Each structure stands twice: as C-alpha cells, then as structure tokens.
Amino acid sequence: MSLQDLHGKDLLSLADLSATQLQALIQLVCDLKSGKTNLTCNKVLGLLFYKASTRTRVSFTVAMYQLGGQVIDLNPKVTQVGRGEPIEDTARVLDRYLDILAVRTFAQADLATFAQYAKIPVINALTDLAHPCQILADLQTMQEEFGSLSGLSLTYLGDGNNVAHSLLLGCALAGVNITVATPPGYEPLPKVVEQAQALAQNGAQIAVTNDAIAAVKGSNVVYTDVWASMGQEEEADSRIPRFEPYQANATLMAHADPKAIVLHCLPAHRGEEITAEVMEGSQARIWDQAENRMHAQKALMAVLLGLR
Ligand code: CP
Ligand code: NVA
C-alpha cells in the first residue's frame, strides 16, 4: 500500500496507515520541512474543534496557507453544531463546501460519524481515544534526532490517554519498542494495547507497567503528557498524588539512555507531569516537536488530497 492509496481517505487513527505508508509519510514530512519537496493546492480546510487548541489549530491553518489553500474556522459556538444540529446533517452539508475537514471532539464515535457522512477526507485532530496527528509529528521528530526509528525504545509516563494510545499504535507500526508506565487504574485501554501488539513491526515490544523506573531504563525517548486531559479537569487535583512517581524529572531521566531526548505534546503543567528543569534542559526537543506538527499535517493533508 502506497501513499497514493490514501487519496480521499480519512485519518481517524494511526491504524488507518500501513507501516509502509507511515514510513513514506514521515519521509514526506522531512522533505517538506527541508524544502526538498514543494506542494501546492487551491483547497479549503474546515476546522471543527469542540475542545480548546493552540498547536493543532494554528499548525493546521499555517500548513494549509503554505500549501496555497484556505481555512475556515467552524467554531461550534457560532455554527449550528453547537446548538444541536445532528452530526449526520452537518457532515453532509460541510462535504458540499469543503475539500477536507479536521475535527477535534470527545467521542471517537462522533468523529466516525463525521467521516461516515462526509465523503471528503476527515482528520482526527484529537479525540478522547486518539491523537494521531500529534504522534505523526513525534515520530518524525524522533527520526530527525536519531536518523531512523526501528529499534528505538520510547517510554511514555503518566496517563494511559489519547496520546498514549496513538503512541502505542505509531510506535508499533514504526518498529519502536514502547513501554507505557501509568499509576494502577490509569493504564491504556487493553483493546488498544492488543491492537498495537498485532501491528508491531520488526519485533517491536509493546509493554504496559506501573513501574516508572524500570520503564525508563535505557530508553531513547521519554515522553509525557498532562495527568488530566480536556474533559477530566475536575479529577486534576485528586490525580496528582497518584501520578507523582511518574513525573519526568532529573531523577527518573538518570535511568534513561544518556543520549535520550524528552518529548511532551504540550500544553504542559510544569511541576506536575514534568519539571521545569527537564522541560528547559538540553535533552528536551519539545519546541522542535511542536514545530513539526505543522510539517506533519501539511504532509498528511497533501496525501489525503492526492497532491502526492
Ligand atoms: N498538542 C496539542 O495538540 O496541542 P493543542 O491542544 O494546543 O492543539
Ligand atoms: N491528553 C491531552 C492532550 C492535549 C494535546 C488532552 O486530551 O487534553
């Protein structure tokens, strides 16, 4: 399966890509970033975000502008979706105007309904289940750092959330060993872990543990995310004591490979899931990672729109 096979398709999960397609897409991200490849279009992207966003919103917008297209912000507060117009109806109408649609919402099922009723490509810009665009940029950031992905080891510390789920799938497809270390009761969904194990390439090991120190041992990439995601704000304070042993701090980093890098999808809570010292330290690649969201989504849109 080649990149051309993705023309007109949706990207609801990284499992929508084959290992070969993911590899080719990451290469396209690198080529667009370096200027080796230039692509243009005259297309219109819609952004329908039911949750807050800085990086995803701005990086999608700038990426489409750089491709030569236009962007419409379909803020639910000022469109009829916020007043309860059914997704099935909204999706069929947007399909007639737009060329491509990125949706950030809560339930994966709602995203799937958008994709079912809109014939144009629909992209998952984050759901409670998954954040594939983030992980596309993360893998490209890792490739940029280490030259290749297969055989690397990544440790994810914290909540078994949307980012953890997409990392499991993305690492599996890229042949990256992944260990997800969470407090008891906050593990990723078993169905996603099983899906990652089934997709694993080149013998990549997929592991889930409650032991943060063992998880970080020898790791090339240490990754963390907020302890309470959007929609879980009321649990934030009660989670802190349970999650403290999983903080990305200098003590835990001492167990990782000395050349390990630190990633965080942002936004971050310094002093909770990551210390200011680690975030601002020499191992952090967090700002490159944020920049790469733009290159990654440009490549993704180019492929789904058939520019490539
Ligand atoms: N990492 C990420 O998706 O950031 P935003 O919520 O700001 O889009
Ligand atoms: N897990 C976080 C990621 C934010 C980019 C959330 O869903 O809020």
Side-chain angles (χ1 to χ4, degrees):
M1 293 223 287
S2 69
L3 282 186
Q4 284 70 33
D5 295 321
L6 293 170
H7 182 191
K9 299 273 170 58
D10 305 308
L11 196 279
L12 309 186
S13 159
L14 284 180
D16 294 339
L17 303 176
S18 69
T20 320
Q21 286 170 332
L22 178 62
Q23 205 175 16
L25 190 51
I26 291 170
Q27 190 53 51
L28 180 59
V29 181
C30 295
D31 292 347
L32 285 168
K33 183 175 178 179
S34 70
K36 185 176 168 200
T37 299
N38 270 302
L39 297 170
T40 55
C41 69
N42 183 17
K43 304 284 185 180
V44 181
L45 162 71
L47 294 178
L48 182 47
F49 282 24
Y50 294 83
K51 292 176 176 172
S53 168
T54 299
R55 279 143 290 271
T56 311
R57 175 186 296 282
V58 179
S59 57
F60 260 116
T61 304
V62 176
M64 188 45 113
Y65 288 168
Q66 289 184 356
L67 283 170
Q70 317 251 357
V71 182
I72 304 180
D73 182 1
L74 302 157
N75 183 342
K77 290 205 180 82
V78 296
T79 48
Q80 299 287 10
V81 283
R83 298 177 61 247
E85 183 169 8
I87 292 173
E88 292 84 343
D89 298 357
T90 305
R92 278 177 286 186
V93 172
L94 293 179
D95 175 75
R96 304 292 177 109
Y97 304 136
L98 300 169
D99 298 297
I100 188 163
L101 174 66
V103 179
R104 170 170 285 203
T105 190
F106 294 86
Q108 185 79 8
D110 287 348
L111 176 74
T113 305
F114 272 109
Q116 185 187 342
Y117 283 85
K119 293 192 285 292
I120 55 171
V122 173
I123 299 175
N124 183 350
L126 181 147
T127 59
D128 292 345
L129 181 71
H131 197 4
C133 293
Q134 176 69 54
I135 278 56
L136 194 55
D138 301 340
L139 291 170
Q140 185 261 336
T141 306
M142 289 161 56
Q143 179 159 314
E144 216 168 41
E145 178 73 24
F146 297 105
S148 64
L149 292 172
S150 192
L152 292 176
S153 293
L154 178 146
T155 302
Y156 173 91
L157 297 168
D159 187 27
N161 61 15
N162 43 12
V163 168
H165 289 153
S166 291
L167 274 172
L168 280 161
L169 299 178
C171 287
L173 282 170
V176 174
N177 304 304
I178 175 167
T179 303
V180 174
T182 73
Y186 295 91
E187 292 86 359
L189 291 174
K191 69 169 185 191
V192 179
V193 178
E194 284 159 26
Q195 194 181 12
Q197 279 161 345
L199 291 172
Q201 303 292 308
N202 303 341
Q205 299 293 306
I206 312 296
V208 176
T209 179
N210 302 128
D211 185 339
I213 295 175
V216 168
K217 218 168 176 53
S219 195
N220 305 110
V221 183
V222 177
Y223 195 121
T224 190
D225 181 20
V226 289
W227 290 341
S229 286
M230 289 182 277
Q232 300 172 329
E233 287 82 359
E234 73 292 348
E235 291 178 39
D237 289 344
S238 63
R239 284 185 176 214
I240 290 174
R242 285 176 219 182
F243 279 74
E244 264 165 4
Y246 303 86
Q247 184 189 59
N249 54 35
T251 313
L252 215 42
M253 284 308 297
H255 296 275
D257 186 272
K259 292 200 179 115
I261 61 166
V262 177
L263 299 180
H264 190 311
C265 57
L266 303 175
H269 293 107
R270 286 173 174 78
E272 291 186 20
E273 76 275 5
I274 189 165
T275 58
E277 183 191 12
V278 168
M279 209 169 151
E280 305 295 346
S282 61
Q283 290 172 288
R285 296 292 180 275
I286 294 170
W287 314 116
D288 293 331
Q289 178 188 10
E291 176 189 331
N292 289 336
R293 296 291 309 278
M294 181 175 69
H295 307 296
Q297 287 150 202
K298 190 189 290 178
L300 176 63
M301 289 192 289
V303 166
L304 301 181
L305 288 167
L307 310 181
R308 198 54 189 193

